[in-house]
């Protein structure tokens, strides 16, 4: 079973595509997904729970929900059913939506990402607090440590290799990570957090890996966008590139806040 992300999900609206043995129309995936008005889904990720085992990948969803009920009404086809549960992470099992493990503390999970820290692929969840959790196979393990305040949060995360091996990069609105000063963006590798220079002066909303010279000698960089106007002490209007040792602006930058990043081949090679 394969799932493809198409869009973010806001109150009462879910957009997704699923490839499975029966036509997707049988399951009635429409804007009438029936999510309760108090619930927001911020991210979803296809994750293989048993690695090389026989189980297919499952669709895991994250958002708000602790103390609230996720109410789903996906009963327009023979493979679907209504369901409801309380929590901030759920899993779509084809027949119904179910809670995914013991829900991490905090009322919002904003991002899910699969990352292999050298011990095998694992699912990571991050969000308000700020917070970072790792799914051990049976429970959610907290990794962030001391939090940065009730308004602090992780907005998104991605896996990037800056030349020293794959690491998990998280951006958002926070002053520290695991007790280490990290201004709005951090790197998690080897069980420890580290800053990216002096960081960003204001929150970042999205990060992505992009190789701006293709087959050329310059390695792929980590690109960030958001509210910030200074990156690593350098003026950078809402977008900047981390090269592994320092930040650099992208020309004059953007004239307003960037909210998402993606890489696309427009027929002339990859573009950010």
């Amino acid at each position: 079973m394969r799932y493809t992300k198409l869009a973010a999900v806001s109150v009462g609206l879910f957009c997704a595509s699923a490839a499975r043995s029966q036509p997707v129309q049988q399951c009635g995936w429409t804007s009438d997904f029936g999510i309760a008005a108090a619930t927001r889904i911020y991210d979803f990720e296809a994750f293989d729970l048993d690695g090389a085992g026989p189980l297919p990948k499952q669709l895991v969803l994250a958002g708000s929900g602790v103390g609230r009920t996720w109410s789903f009404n996906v009963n327009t086809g023979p493979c679907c059913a209504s369901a409801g549960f309380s929590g901030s992470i759920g899993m779509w099992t084809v027949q119904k939506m179910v809670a995914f493990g013991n829900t991490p503390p905090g009322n919002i999970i904003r991002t899910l990402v699969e990352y292999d820290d050298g011990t095998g692929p694992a699912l990571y969840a991050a969000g308000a607090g700020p917070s970072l959790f790792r799914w051990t196979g049976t429970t959610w393990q907290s990794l962030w440590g001391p939090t940065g305040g009730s308004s602090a949060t992780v907005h998104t995360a991605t896996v990037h290799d800056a030349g020293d091996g794959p690491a998990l990069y998280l951006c958002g609105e926070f002053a520290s990570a695991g007790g280490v000063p990290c201004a709005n963006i951090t790197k998690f590798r080897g069980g420890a957090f580290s800053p990216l220079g002096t960081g960003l002066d204001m929150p970042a909303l999205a990060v992505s890996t992009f190789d701006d010279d293709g087959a050329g000698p310059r390695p792929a960089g980590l690109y960030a966008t958001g509210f910030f106007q200074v990156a690593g002490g350098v003026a950078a209007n809402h977008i900047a590139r981390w090269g592994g040792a320092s930040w650099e602006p992208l020309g004059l930058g953007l004239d307003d806040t960037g909210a998402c990043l993606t890489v696309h081949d427009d027929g002339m090679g990859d573009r950010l």
Side-chain angles (χ1 to χ4, degrees), residues 8 10 13 24 66 69 80 84 102 115-116 124 126 145 152 182 187 192 235 239 241 259 265 268 271:
S10 59
L13 176 64
V24 68
V66 170
T69 297
C80 306
N102 58 315
Y115 168 55
D116 187 345
Y124 289 74
C182 297
K187 171 184 175 181
I239 191 166
R241 177 185 184 273
D265 185 347
M268 301 179 66
R271 298 287 188 269

Side-chain angles (χ1 to χ4, degrees), residues 14-181:
F14 184 86
C15 300
S17 172
R20 51 168 70 92
S21 58
Q22 58 270 70
V24 68
Q25 289 83 0
Q26 282 188 332
C27 288
W29 288 66
T30 69
S31 59
D32 188 29
F33 193 62
I35 300 174
T39 300
R40 296 189 180 206
I41 297 178
Y42 290 103
D43 200 9
F44 48 102
E45 182 78 16
F47 182 64
D48 193 338
L49 293 171
D50 66 344
L55 294 177
K57 285 189 174 182
Q58 301 292 332
L59 186 65
V60 182
L61 303 96
S64 60
V66 170
R68 306 186 180 103
T69 297
W70 292 30
S71 177
F72 300 92
N73 181 19
V74 204
N75 54 9
T76 59
C79 64
C80 306
S82 299
F85 65 92
S86 294
S88 54
I89 299 180
M91 182 171 66
W92 173 248
T93 65
V94 179
Q95 280 76 29
K96 62 181 180 180
M97 189 71 66
V98 298
F100 189 82
N102 58 315
T103 299
N107 64 346
I108 297 175
I109 294 295
R110 291 188 176 272
T111 187
L112 295 166
V113 62
E114 184 177 321
Y115 168 55
D116 187 345
D117 63 0
T119 62
L123 185 64
Y124 289 74
S131 57
L132 176 64
F133 301 92
R134 178 181 183 272
W135 177 248
T136 67
T138 57
T139 189
W140 288 101
Q141 174 191 10
S142 178
L143 301 170
W144 193 275
T147 61
S150 59
S151 64
T153 190
V154 174
H155 285 298
T156 193
T158 193
V159 177
H160 173 70
D161 188 343
D164 57 351
L168 188 60
Y169 288 79
L170 305 100
C171 72
E173 182 177 1
F174 49 85
S176 65
V180 178

Side-chain angles (χ1 to χ4, degrees), residues 201-220:
D201 68 324
M202 293 183 71
L205 299 178
V207 285
S208 180
T209 296
F210 176 58
D211 191 343
D212 59 9
D213 70 344
R218 181 170 155 106

